[in-house]
Amino acid sequence: MTIHEEPWPQGTPSWVDVMVDDADAARAFYTQLFGWTAEPGPPEYGGYTMCLLEGRPVAGLSPKPESWPGPNAWSTYLAVDDADAAMARATDAGGTVVLPPISVGSMGRMAFGTDPSGASYGVWQAMEHRGVHVANEPGSLVWNELITRDYAAAQAFYAAVFGYGYEEIGDGENFTYSTIARPDGHVVAGIGAIDPNMPAEVPSRWVTYFGVADTDAVAARAQELGATLDMAPFDSQFGRIAVIRAPQGETFSVISVEQGQEAQAETSEPQSDEARAEATPDGPEPTPTRPEADPTGAAV
């Protein structure tokens, strides 16, 4: 099992959470699907629940405030050393601040923004809460990727705000995709262009991938629990993938991972394990890809 208990380096996707209308229903769905246990926070945190895998934080779950403009959705948080400075850079780079930096008690400092292509992202300045403690394991985070309608603008934005570098691995015509590396060279995420022929309502967004031991079994169980499949299980050279739309409408991807495959990274940051999938209804079957990551490159 890959374990990381220290603050994540700046630019690393360090946390994911889901914001929904009915937190109790979502808690029941995800705990049954992934075997998580739910640990509700104190009342002053507004019903926020920490989701644990074998006692270690892997995700968060929150009721959606009435004032929140977005739909039910999974959010990706990018680690920062200074949330205020990061959002100032984001504004200078053409992004929009949706939620200015705020302190979350002694846990850390957070903010939300949208990039120039309209994709929402969060930033997290760690204090007591350091982010995910386990990754690359069934039931935990294994990859994050940005799917965008303005590939060049998104690349320029995240480079300016987080110092990202990119390595193109698509052909630039049928498939436009690159890996994202922190300034230290560690691959931490991916970025892909949405096919311009896709319906206009398909938004730019960050996609969350969770590892599973058996993609077909998890997809079937999700449907038993009231979810639908935006993309039925299919094979890729990096694992079997499915895209699931939970009962309240939020989407996420799952990909098969084998327990113990991360043994070489157990004393370092998680190793990348990614597949390309567009989490959109009625979309074309994706072409999965995966970076050739440094063994200490982070997958989250």
Side-chain angles (χ1 to χ4, degrees):
M1 178 181 291
T2 301
I3 295 172
H4 185 104
E5 297 182 343
E6 297 304 314
W8 290 92
Q10 180 158 289
T12 310
S14 61
W15 187 244
V16 293
D17 64 16
V18 63
M19 193 178 295
V20 291
D21 296 312
D22 188 337
D24 289 338
R27 188 158 44 244
F29 173 77
Y30 287 104
T31 55
Q32 292 180 76
L33 186 65
F34 290 129
W36 294 344
T37 55
E39 186 176 274
E44 57 265 31
Y45 288 161
Y48 197 91
T49 295
M50 199 72 72
C51 298
L52 311 177
L53 179 67
E54 298 184 16
R56 298 180 183 275
V58 290
L61 189 154
S62 175
K64 188 169 67 177
E66 292 183 3
S67 60
W68 187 253
N72 298 332
W74 278 95
S75 296
T76 294
Y77 293 78
L78 306 173
V80 293
D81 299 327
D82 184 326
D84 295 83
M87 296 315 286
R89 292 195 300 273
T91 300
D92 291 342
T96 300
V97 176
V98 177
L99 176 68
I102 58 170
S103 294
V104 186
S106 60
M107 303 301 286
R109 194 160 171 78
M110 65 169 286
F112 266 97
T114 57
D115 67 28
S117 73
S120 297
Y121 66 94
V123 300
W124 182 256
Q125 179 183 337
M127 293 169 59
E128 289 183 7
H129 176 56
R130 309 302 181 64
V132 298
H133 281 198
V134 57
N136 295 336
E137 184 79 8
S140 71
L141 189 63
V142 297
W143 188 248
N144 302 80
E145 67 184 10
L146 172 65
I147 302 300
T148 177
R149 285 196 169 276
D150 195 333
Y151 186 72
Q155 283 188 324
F157 173 80
Y158 289 97
V161 179
F162 300 101
Y164 287 159
Y166 307 98
E167 180 179 353
E168 299 290 336
I169 59 176
D171 59 17
E173 296 182 3
N174 301 312
F175 177 52
T176 303
Y177 195 97
S178 61
T179 57
I180 298 174
R182 299 186 311 232
D184 61 8
H186 289 176
V187 172
V188 294
I191 177 172
I194 293 177
D195 187 323
N197 295 318
M198 293 294 288
E201 61 269 21
V202 176
S204 300
R205 72 254 182 230
W206 278 89
V207 179
T208 299
Y209 287 77
F210 293 108
V212 295
D214 185 329
T215 300
D216 293 81
V218 169
R221 180 58 173 152
Q223 292 177 91
E224 291 174 358
L225 295 170
T228 57
L229 299 183
D230 276 6
M231 201 167 285
F234 66 94
D235 289 322
S236 79
Q237 59 183 310
F238 306 113
R240 192 160 171 79
I241 300 170
V243 181
I244 297 172
R245 183 171 296 272
Q248 296 187 62
E250 72 276 12
T251 60
F252 59 95
S253 297
V254 296
I255 182 171
S256 58
V257 294
E258 295 181 6
Q259 293 193 11
Q261 73 178 50
E262 304 83 17
Q264 62 179 329
E266 285 184 353
T267 58
S268 63
E269 294 175 6
Q271 186 179 19
S272 294
D273 195 348
E274 177 269 354
R276 165 85 161 113
E278 294 217 358
T280 57
D282 303 319
E285 184 168 307
T287 304
T289 64
R290 179 179 182 269
E292 292 300 322
D294 184 296
T296 57
V300 294

